[in-house]
């Protein structure tokens, strides 16, 4: 394991930077709250997984054996994170007149396609909530006698039965939690359903028998059960978006405390995970990103407009994960250009075999990179170190390649397997294929070689009429682009 820089991470539980010490020596066990598969993820959601991916890659870089679990929520998540609203999956299935299973399959596959396009590593396991219902029932039965009470609508967790409820959120507000009158009989505003009974006279597409009647598990219960089951309490790091710091994760922690307290550990150890880490939001200028209002910013929309998905990954890496990041098309364009410059510099090393990274000029850069990434995943600084290494002249190329490869294993920009042609802007709305464009450009080249400038201009105009702008002498070598 590396001796250079110890890994420091920001723990939302203590709101401070803490040195990472694994629960199990040499290992790092990480759980990431995954999507509710009732709709396509927007690119803000995907920022949460790019962050978790950089965390997991950094842990690998630091020499830990990483076990990463991401869940898929296919039941139980209401339209409101507290106890109001309808089940997101049931609602979408009804709107589309499809079975929940089909809805879940379609959107899970769409999410996995985005994961692959963003070069996010596959976790050790994708845990699907509906596969864990027996374990959820067992967990609920364990904590119910001391921590829960039954109402007509389900089994509720009494948050006053655990020490220091809500310490992760810091401020437990009426607004942030459910209202006490939202469900008749609730003892505290923050109490939440861990099992929701199917109302009399209704049938849900997804329901199971339980000691509290037929129904479905609560969303918070799912994550406690899957994380504990697959990683063992306490595990190292639990991640999610910053919104989860307010309701979902405090509720997971309350359940974990209720479950673990039986073996007499103290409150912090009973939180389930030692570190709770949260990425800040991707926002639009007009405010919060949404799947319903304005332009639905899916990764596919970026691709349709011609942007390579890794340009979005680059955009995420350019900001620290704890900062808000504002999305703009100009910003995405700038990220694409930066990635292209890095790829062009990497191309010079394409045929070079990786050598010894311990070169005297390059080793300090690798150390700076490690220091940046070890300081709460400072990717903006780490990126500038990669650029510095790429720009370095008169160094052993094998060493240079080895160092860049190591850095890229953390950042995941695929510098040695993508080419500049892969990054070309290619909106899907344009009917000309890349091959068609290249054919016209070849003819134009031949015309120019014969000094037939009239023919060359006519071919350029022919492309322009179809939305393709020829970019002669462009220093970034784009050669052509589509659109204004
Ligand atoms: P959901 O599918 O709504 O449960 O969200 C999936 C993940 O995306 C969760 O970790 C959320 O906290 C996170 N998230 C939601 N909106 C954003 C956003 N605009 N920017 C970054 N992360 C987000
Ligand atoms: Zn979760």
């Amino acid at each position: 394991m590396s001796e250079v820089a110890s890994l420091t991470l920001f723990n939302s539980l203590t709101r401070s930077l803490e040195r990472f010490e694994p629960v199990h020596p040499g290992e790092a066990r990480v759980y990431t709250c995954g999507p509710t598969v009732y709709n396509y993820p927007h690119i803000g959601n995907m920022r949460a997984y790019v962050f978790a991916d950089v965390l997991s890659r950094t842990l690998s870089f630091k020499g830990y054996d990483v076990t990463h679990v991401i869940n898929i929520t296919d039941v139980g998540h209401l339209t409101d994170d507290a106890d109001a609203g309808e089940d997101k999956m049931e609602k979408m299935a009804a709107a589309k007149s499809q079975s929940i299973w089909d809805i879940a399959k379609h959107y899970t596959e769409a999410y996995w396609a985005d994961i692959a396009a963003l070069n996010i590593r596959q976790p050790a396991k994708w845990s699907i909530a509906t596969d864990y219902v027996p374990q959820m029932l067992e967990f609920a039965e364990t904590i119910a006698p001391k921590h829960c009470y039954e109402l007509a609508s389900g089994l509720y967790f009494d948050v006053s039965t655990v020490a220091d409820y809500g310490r992760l959120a810091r401020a437990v507000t009426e607004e942030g939690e459910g209202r006490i009158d939202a469900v008749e009989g609730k003892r505290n505003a923050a109490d939440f359903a861990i099992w929701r009974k199917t109302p009399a006279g209704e049938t849900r597409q997804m329901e199971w028998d339980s000691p509290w009647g037929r129904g479905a598990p609560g969303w918070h219960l799912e994550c406690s059960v899957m994380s504990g089951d697959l990683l063992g309490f306490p595990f190292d790091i639990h991640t999610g978006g910053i919104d989860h710091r307010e309701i979902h994760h405090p509720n997971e922690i309350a359940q974990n405390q209720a479950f673990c307290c039986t073996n007499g550990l103290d409150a912090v150890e009973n939180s389930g995970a030692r570190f709770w880490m949260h990425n800040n939001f991707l926002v639009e200028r007009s405010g919060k990103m949404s799947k319903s209002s304005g332009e639905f910013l899916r990764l596919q929309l970026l691709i349709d407009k011609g942007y390579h998905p890794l340009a979005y990954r680059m955009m995420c890496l350019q900001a620290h994960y704890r900062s808000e990041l504002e999305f703009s098309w100009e910003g995405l364009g700038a990220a694409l250009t930066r990635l292209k410059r890095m790829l062009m510099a990497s191309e010079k090393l394409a045929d070079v075999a990786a050598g010894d990274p311990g070169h005297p000029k390059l080793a300090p850069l690798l150390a700076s990179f490690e220091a940046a990434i070890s300081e709460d995943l400072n990717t903006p600084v780490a990126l500038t170190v990669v650029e510095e290494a790429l720009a370095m002249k008169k160094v052993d190329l094998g060493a240079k390649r080895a160092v860049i490869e190591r850095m890229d294993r953390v950042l995941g920009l695929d510098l040695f397997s993508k080419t500049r042609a892969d990054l070309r802007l290619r909106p899907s709305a344009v009917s000309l294929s890349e091959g068609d464009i290249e054919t016209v450009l070849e003819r134009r080249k031949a015309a120019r070689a014969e000094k037939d400038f009239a023919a060359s201009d006519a071919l350029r105009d022919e492309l322009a009429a179809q939305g393709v702008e020829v970019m002669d002498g462009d220093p970034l070598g784009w050669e052509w682009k589509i659109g204004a």
Side-chain angles (χ1 to χ4, degrees):
M1 200 172 301
S2 166
E3 300 293 333
V4 185
S6 63
L7 178 60
T8 308
L9 299 171
F10 187 84
N11 191 349
S12 299
L13 265 183
T14 55
R15 298 290 197 277
S16 62
L17 290 165
E18 289 177 22
R19 190 189 165 123
F20 177 75
E21 298 283 359
V23 175
H24 304 273
E27 274 191 58
R29 302 186 185 181
V30 183
Y31 182 88
T32 295
C33 280
T36 304
V37 284
Y38 73 105
N39 202 339
Y40 296 108
H42 58 52
I43 54 173
N45 300 133
M46 296 314 293
R47 186 183 185 200
Y49 309 109
V50 170
F51 150 63
D53 183 51
V54 171
L55 172 66
S56 141
R57 287 168 177 265
T58 298
L59 290 162
S60 298
F61 177 84
K62 301 294 286 183
Y64 297 106
D65 182 7
V66 179
T67 307
H68 189 192
V69 172
I70 309 180
N71 77 285
I72 301 284
T73 294
D74 54 355
V75 66
H77 193 170
L78 300 194
T79 46
D80 185 304
D81 281 358
D83 277 315
E86 301 162 74
D87 184 295
K88 288 183 177 187
M89 300 294 300
E90 295 268 351
K91 189 177 167 194
M92 184 57 105
K96 293 212 155 186
S97 306
Q98 284 179 19
S99 83
I100 290 195
W101 305 101
D102 289 342
I103 295 281
K105 181 170 185 293
H106 176 78
Y107 292 114
T108 302
E109 281 169 6
Y111 165 70
W112 281 340
D114 286 1
I115 289 282
L118 289 170
N119 209 19
I120 291 169
R121 291 199 308 191
Q122 288 291 315
K125 178 146 184 94
W126 295 103
S127 62
I128 316 279
T130 47
D131 289 344
Y132 288 81
V133 175
Q135 291 91 324
M136 292 177 202
L137 287 168
E138 209 175 299
F139 187 107
E141 283 187 78
T142 308
I143 65 173
K146 277 195 184 164
H147 301 276
C148 302
Y149 57 95
E150 206 176 331
L151 295 176
S153 53
L155 184 70
Y156 284 78
F157 190 96
D158 180 343
V159 299
S160 68
T161 62
V162 289
D164 217 1
Y165 171 77
R167 68 182 177 283
L168 177 65
R170 290 282 159 103
V172 177
T173 62
E174 283 287 306
E175 197 190 355
E177 304 292 342
R179 291 191 329 276
I180 192 153
D181 59 0
V183 177
E184 202 182 331
K186 245 168 82 160
R187 295 179 189 166
N188 311 286
D191 290 355
F192 55 92
I194 68 171
W195 187 264
R196 210 168 271 111
K197 293 186 208 177
T198 306
E202 275 183 33
T203 0
R204 295 171 48 110
Q205 285 194 42
M206 281 189 176
E207 53 181 15
W208 294 263
D209 284 324
S210 86
W212 316 283
R214 248 182 118 62
W219 173 45
H220 314 302
L221 179 66
E222 299 173 3
C223 281
S224 279
V225 170
M226 290 188 278
S227 60
D229 218 66
L230 292 162
L231 300 175
F233 291 137
F235 58 92
D236 295 296
I237 307 173
H238 194 310
T239 82
I242 190 115
D243 52 332
H244 288 349
R245 206 178 66 181
E246 309 308 317
I247 300 174
H248 183 46
H249 290 170
N251 290 352
E252 275 189 51
I253 288 174
Q255 294 167 151
N256 298 348
Q257 277 178 259
F259 187 80
C260 298
C261 268
T262 47
N263 53 26
L265 300 172
D266 69 23
V268 172
E269 205 65 355
N270 284 328
S271 295
R274 291 219 174 133
F275 282 79
W276 291 76
M277 293 179 69
H278 298 97
N279 63 280
N280 211 323
F281 266 21
L282 181 77
V283 295
E284 290 181 82
R285 185 148 300 179
S286 55
K288 199 178 162 199
M289 190 153 291
S290 145
K291 299 184 189 189
S292 47
S293 66
E295 199 172 36
F296 181 4
L297 284 169
R298 280 179 62 193
L299 192 63
Q300 190 57 46
L301 178 70
L302 274 49
I303 296 169
D304 288 346
K305 290 205 183 204
Y307 295 93
H308 194 282
L310 287 180
Y312 177 64
R313 184 176 174 105
M314 173 63 107
M315 194 177 182
C316 292
L317 299 181
Q318 290 183 148
H320 190 263
Y321 76 90
R322 283 196 287 125
S323 307
E324 228 173 50
L325 171 61
E326 184 180 298
F327 178 78
S328 70
W329 294 102
E330 297 73 37
L332 184 66
L336 178 69
T337 299
R338 187 175 187 191
L339 180 58
K340 178 146 188 200
R341 285 188 194 279
M342 287 171 75
L343 270 186
M344 286 167 70
S346 306
E347 274 173 11
K348 300 196 179 105
L349 304 168
D351 300 324
V352 176
D356 175 10
H359 184 279
K361 266 180 147 176
L362 287 159
L365 278 183
L366 191 55
S368 305
F369 177 89
E370 176 159 6
I373 206 76
S374 302
E375 208 175 289
D376 197 27
L377 316 179
N378 197 337
T379 53
V381 170
L383 274 171
T384 63
V385 180
V386 178
E387 285 166 327
E388 219 180 305
L390 280 169
M392 199 162 260
K393 303 245 166 25
K394 300 196 185 108
V395 287
D396 177 74
L397 292 182
K400 187 166 168 175
R401 168 136 190 167
V403 164
I404 304 287
E405 270 182 10
R406 286 197 182 193
M407 295 175 177
D408 193 34
R409 236 173 272 150
V410 176
L411 299 176
L413 291 170
D414 253 2
L415 294 177
F416 293 110
S417 44
K418 293 281 177 295
T419 66
R420 61 176 87 180
D422 292 327
L423 295 191
R424 200 188 282 290
L425 275 167
R426 44 180 131 189
S428 57
V430 171
S431 53
L432 277 185
S433 75
E434 202 148 306
D436 299 338
I437 296 169
E438 297 298 344
T439 308
V440 179
L441 285 176
E442 280 305 315
R443 279 166 52 209
R444 180 166 175 266
K445 215 171 170 183
R448 284 166 69 133
E450 286 167 22
K451 302 215 172 347
D452 185 351
F453 296 112
S456 153
D457 287 352
L459 289 166
R460 189 189 59 206
D461 294 346
E462 184 185 309
L463 286 173
Q466 301 187 67
V468 179
E469 184 191 337
V470 177
M471 299 165 78
D472 288 324
D474 176 60
L476 276 180
W478 286 115
E479 293 163 14
W480 52 265
K481 74 173 178 186
I482 299 180

